[in-house]
Amino acid sequence: MSFELPKLPYAYDALEPFLDEQTMHIHHQNHHATYISKLNNAIKGTEFENIDIPTLLGKLYKTPKKIRGTLRNSGGGHINHSLFWKMMSPQGGGAPNGELATAIDREFGDFKHFQKTFCEIALAHSGSGWAWLVQKLDAKLHIYSTPNQDNPFMQTGDMPLLGLDLWEHAY
Ligand code: MN3
């Protein structure tokens, strides 16, 4: 089995004026597609051919050193962008409701304070990477950033709820 580029769930120009059509084309068809082809080349003929990416990244340190760097960067790049396309929406935005709203209020005081904290952590990140809202194993919410294409799946039990691409090509 090899990984395939998932279709964008909206048109390339659907996120304008926030993300322009050309940026979305480059980001999806060049960057994301490149992560996938590098990942597929690295796992060809290995025991990792049929693994899902979160599982693979959860045991990254047990993978062969020869392909570990590629699994980390291209496997990470693939899952991060697959999540990112679905986290954005032309009809999205605004405060959440239900259990997530309750958890955000409990952890951050209120939604406005959550937004402020998330922005601060994203802006404080030096170099390329991602900002994340994650749910820990104890169900608590945390915000942190990761370098390059690293992500919460590399930290046992962390589940990403929201990710923001901090690479220069993302905006
Ligand atoms: Mn990107």
Side-chain angles (χ1 to χ4, degrees):
M1 189 196 88
S2 54
F3 292 99
E4 286 174 15
L5 184 65
K7 278 192 72 156
L8 274 190
Y10 34 73
Y12 284 97
D13 64 357
L15 302 178
E16 288 192 352
F18 305 103
L19 286 164
D20 67 273
E21 181 176 5
Q22 191 194 6
T23 298
M24 289 299 287
H25 264 293
I26 294 170
H27 205 164
H28 182 252
Q29 294 181 313
N30 296 4
H31 292 271
H32 192 171
T34 301
Y35 289 126
I36 292 171
S37 67
K38 285 184 177 170
L39 175 65
N40 285 336
N41 281 337
I43 61 173
K44 206 178 205 173
T46 72
E47 63 188 288
F48 307 110
E49 274 193 316
N50 291 303
I51 203 168
D52 68 277
I53 303 289
T55 304
L56 173 71
L57 296 178
K59 56 177 189 180
L60 187 69
Y61 66 96
K62 289 180 184 161
T63 59
K65 276 198 181 137
K66 209 176 89 181
I67 58 170
R68 193 179 300 164
T70 305
L71 297 179
R72 179 179 189 171
N73 196 57
S74 298
H78 175 35
I79 190 72
N80 289 348
H81 288 85
S82 298
L83 293 171
F84 193 44
W85 309 137
K86 289 192 276 188
M87 286 165 172
M88 297 189 288
S89 160
Q91 290 89 35
N97 46 39
E99 279 182 50
L100 180 58
T102 308
I104 282 176
D105 289 350
R106 191 172 54 229
E107 207 66 52
F108 305 105
D110 58 33
F111 184 67
K112 276 243 170 315
H113 192 247
F114 156 71
Q115 283 181 305
K116 187 170 173 279
T117 308
F118 191 91
C119 282
E120 283 169 358
I121 287 175
L123 289 169
H125 186 87
S126 178
S128 296
W130 290 74
W132 301 100
L133 171 69
V134 304
Q135 185 177 40
K136 299 283 223 184
L137 273 180
D138 63 5
K140 285 196 172 166
L141 301 184
H142 286 242
I143 302 171
Y144 57 74
S145 66
T146 54
N148 303 313
Q149 294 300 337
D150 286 2
N151 56 61
F153 295 119
M154 295 170 183
Q155 310 193 36
T156 311
D158 285 12
M159 181 56 65
L161 303 177
L162 180 70
L164 176 64
D165 193 346
L166 304 176
W167 285 66
E168 63 277 6
H169 64 253
Y171 36 79

